[in-house]
Amino acid sequence: MSLTFDFVQPQPEPAADRLTLFADVILPLPLPKLYTYRVPFELNDQVVVGGRVIVQFGAKRTLSCIVAAVHEHPPKEYQAKYILEFIDDAPVVTQPQLKLFRWIAEYYLCTLGEVINAALPAALKLSSESRVQLHPAFEAETNPYPLSEQEQKVVDALSTGEEGKSMTFTEVGELLGIASFHKYIKSLMQKDVVFLFEHLQDKYSPKVLKKVRLAHQYISEAAIEQLFAQLASKSKQLDVVMRYLQRVPVYQNEHANHKGLEKAALTSAPHLSPSAVNTLIKNGVLEQFDQIVSRFPLDEDDAEAKIHFTLSEAQQTARQDIMRQFQDKDIVLLHGVTGAGKTEIYIDLIKQALDGGGQVLYLLPEIALTAQIVTRLMRVFGSRLGVYHSKFSDNERVEVWNGVLSGRFQVVVGVRSAIFLPFDNLALTIVDEEHESSYKQYDPAPRYNAREVALMMANFQGSKTLLGSATPAVETYYQTRTGRYGLVELTKRFGEAGLPEIELVDTRKSREQKTMLNHFTPELMAEMERKLALQEQIILFQNRRGYAPFINCLDCGWIPKCQSCAVSLSYHKHSHELRCHYCGYHERMVAQCPACGSRNVKTVGFGTEKLEDDLKVMLPAANVQRMDLDTTRAKNAYQQIISEFEKQNTNILVGTQMVTKGLDFANVSLVGIINADSIIHYPDFRAHERAFQMFVQVSGRAGRKGKKGKVIIQTGDPEQVIFDKVIRNDYLEFYEYEILQRREHGYPPFMRIIRLTVKHMDVSVGERAALQLTQELVDRLGREAVLGPEAPYIFRIRNFYLQEITIKLSREHTVLRAAKADVLAAIDLLRDQKEFKQVRFAVDVDPM
Ligand code: ADP
Ligand code: ZN
Ligand code: ZN
């Protein structure tokens, strides 16, 4: 980064009638205050609130930032620097968004810069570290847009050298020899000539299919006959053309030719000659073209799949009830058992909201769910639907962002970060599976809960909100009791499907009787064999990935630990590694103990990988697939696993929480929960709630579309109260029990919690900071409001020692506001001390 911009132009004193404007900008950095920059006079009429500008920050860094306000007051503390360049002539961040972002920063105790940083796709955050690359679909010959001289220079530079070459913004600046080059990049981006990315791994590499089609001059019977005559002596080429015509019904359907045929279907066909294919392309008989494969391919065979479902009577009633309650309530909870058909009700309500001219946001917790639901929504809403999801590249995200701004997408289905999109006219917000903890962002700040932010956004925009779940969050259900939220219930599954039968199996007994087969009880094993014989499918849930949570030398007791975290290393057999699940550190698996040299090193415990391995040996005829973080890292891996399962190529799907959610497969008749106890015994006040939700949700995957399902839960302690409620699927009884506990012990929804984490590399500095911070908080909030400090169970992560302080506050708005100000003041006080300069403080409001 050697380029510095010569931006400090001599500043003539403004004449009396010249208006000097200043802009407060939001830099994508965790700065407590907004910075003020001066607007170059000749650009006064170009400055837009919500638009991006380029400024210099620090000695060398140039960044794009968002203009939050324009005014005439120079900053008092420093001399304002000039804005270097204006990128947008219309806002990319709207007024309603700015309002929401301010609320997020205030409520979650973070900076506006952190919110902007989380909100904007990287490709909208131009900085000197951004990079440009030619768009893979760009071809100089076919590009319809004229390029300016500057733009052409950039294209030339990117097209020489290796394919996929990229340049940093700094290099582009050097190439063009000017400081204000960002507008050219923006223009190239709009013309689809280049795209931007921030990190090398974000490089855009869409799946491209090489296809061929018949050149258009041959699409008539006369022309083709002439062609046959020409090729009469060239039988190999003739064969290729014949095959093409067999596969593509050119004359019945001209559109079919336009879509063409995969080139490989010709070049790799056994009796055809690849060189003949290429000759035909060279002679212009066949045309070669690239097709970028869509992210959510609509199955061609499914083309006539049902678009319109008629709601059942129960669904109709629920829908009407929701509408009725929306008349005097802004928020309604749809509490419907798994498989009740909530999605169809959502679709109906979305249609209605769109007809009224409003926008719709449909939030889903995770992409595991989106594949099925998105396909369904695509069929109904087509090109009006935008999809926003965490595995999308930045460029894809920018496309959705701009689509919402321009009105192209009136309905967006997305994961939690979709709450940052530039809606300005929301009529309906749906938060599906509202209880899900993945709506909460843990790290980095803003540590927001998308459900709560969605409720606030809806409130700002006058939108109604529908929360949906089979196992509502205790806090949500409580609000239906207080009357703040409406409540609509669906107690039966759609159609003939009944809820599954749930059986508890005692693993302690099986262990004593030595009847366990690896980690499977004989009951589960027998049931699996039965289902496999019937060609029915099975889902197994184990809350731990990897092969084993740790390994242990049986002779000297050695257990490998992470160098940077206070955890043992998990064994991953597939990659033959020991891995830390907290920092990603990994090393080769050992054959012998490095401490004593013994070969007696054994794995302890089990994760999904071991289950998969064991099943392959125990049930060799079954096709077993695993779905967890390790098997779904690649962009389309999720969808592939799900689609294999859907096509019934997979008999048993083993996985972590990913398998517990949303999947709806007609042929699954058995669900096994391999180790229920580890989920229940978790040191957190929400452990029971989470266990109940997980068990009910995963059970909900069994027995849909008319088949009676079965669930087997393996536990060492079948007497626990929670099981009884799970077996009877009695949410209400669970709720009544849980809400008593919460009231008694002072937990949400009766109290609010703020958790502070103090981190430092040196354990004693961290402890001292935590103690002092606690004292400051006690002074301000009172002894009874502050718990800790205390080292968490995993007390060291990535070389930082952790200390936690928990603050419990009354729900009253004014109390909460004042307390938050106190928390910030206390932290600031510590930050000002020299000894604590390197201490990091993380604030989590409403931790989950
Ligand atoms: P939920 O989201 O409540 O768990 P789903 O929306 O997944 O339930 O619905 C369960 C199943 O019932 C799905 O396979 C869905 O396609 C089907 N279904 C729901 N409503 C209808 C309807 N009105 N007509 C036909 N099939 C429906
Ligand atoms: Zn040893
Ligand atoms: Zn680690």
Side-chain angles (χ1 to χ4, degrees), residues 553 555-558 593 595-598:
C553 169
D555 291 322
C556 76
W558 171 81
C593 170
C596 73
S598 158

Side-chain angles (χ1 to χ4, degrees), residues 306 309-312 315 336-344 346 376 432-433 494 662 664 701 704-705:
K306 270 209 196 157
F309 284 2
T310 0
L311 295 188
S312 69
Q315 285 170 320
V337 294
T338 52
K342 295 187 283 295
T343 318
E344 290 308 317
Y346 301 152
R376 173 87 190 103
D432 197 10
E433 311 292 352
F494 176 81
D664 173 18
R701 307 307 124 218
R704 291 182 162 221
K705 303 235 172 89

Side-chain angles (χ1 to χ4, degrees), residues 562-565 567 569 580-585 798:
C562 178
Q563 305 164 335
S564 327
C565 312
V567 292
L569 295 175
C580 171
H581 288 181
Y582 285 80
C583 70
Y585 169 83
R798 294 176 192 270

Side-chain angles (χ1 to χ4, degrees), residues 749-762:
F750 301 102
M751 304 287 275
R752 292 257 186 207
I753 292 180
I754 299 177
R755 176 152 309 137
L756 305 183
T757 309
V758 179
K759 310 179 194 178
H760 198 276
M761 302 263 227
D762 181 327

Side-chain angles (χ1 to χ4, degrees), residues 756-814:
L756 305 183
T757 309
V758 179
K759 310 179 194 178
H760 198 276
M761 302 263 227
D762 181 327
V763 66
S764 61
V765 178
E767 275 173 12
R768 272 201 303 283
L771 274 173
Q772 194 178 330
L773 181 58
T774 307
Q775 194 52 52
E776 296 292 343
L777 292 166
V778 169
D779 290 348
R780 290 168 167 82
L781 304 170
R783 178 72 265 182
E784 64 291 346
V786 186
L787 307 175
E790 161 175 68
Y793 178 64
I794 294 166
F795 57 86
R796 183 163 163 256
I797 296 179
R798 294 176 192 270
N799 289 318
F800 279 87
Y801 287 91
L802 312 184
Q803 289 278 325
E804 283 181 356
I805 303 168
T806 305
I807 306 172
K808 281 189 180 182
L809 298 164
S810 116
R811 287 187 60 92
E812 257 171 84
H813 200 62
T814 47

Side-chain angles (χ1 to χ4, degrees), residues 108-125:
Y108 290 104
L109 296 179
C110 64
T111 66
L112 209 43
E114 285 167 321
V115 181
I116 282 284
N117 202 20
L120 293 190
L124 287 179
K125 293 180 289 196

Side-chain angles (χ1 to χ4, degrees), residues 1 18 33 118 171 222 230 258 278 284 320 379 483 511 517 553 602 703 708 759 761 789:
M1 308 286 134
R18 277 185 102 175
K33 283 207 229 156
E171 287 163 350
Q230 280 169 22
H258 187 74
N278 287 324
Q320 277 157 12
R379 273 189 204 122
R511 285 219 164 82
L517 302 149
C553 169
K602 289 273 142 32
K708 179 89 179 160
K759 310 179 194 178
M761 302 263 227

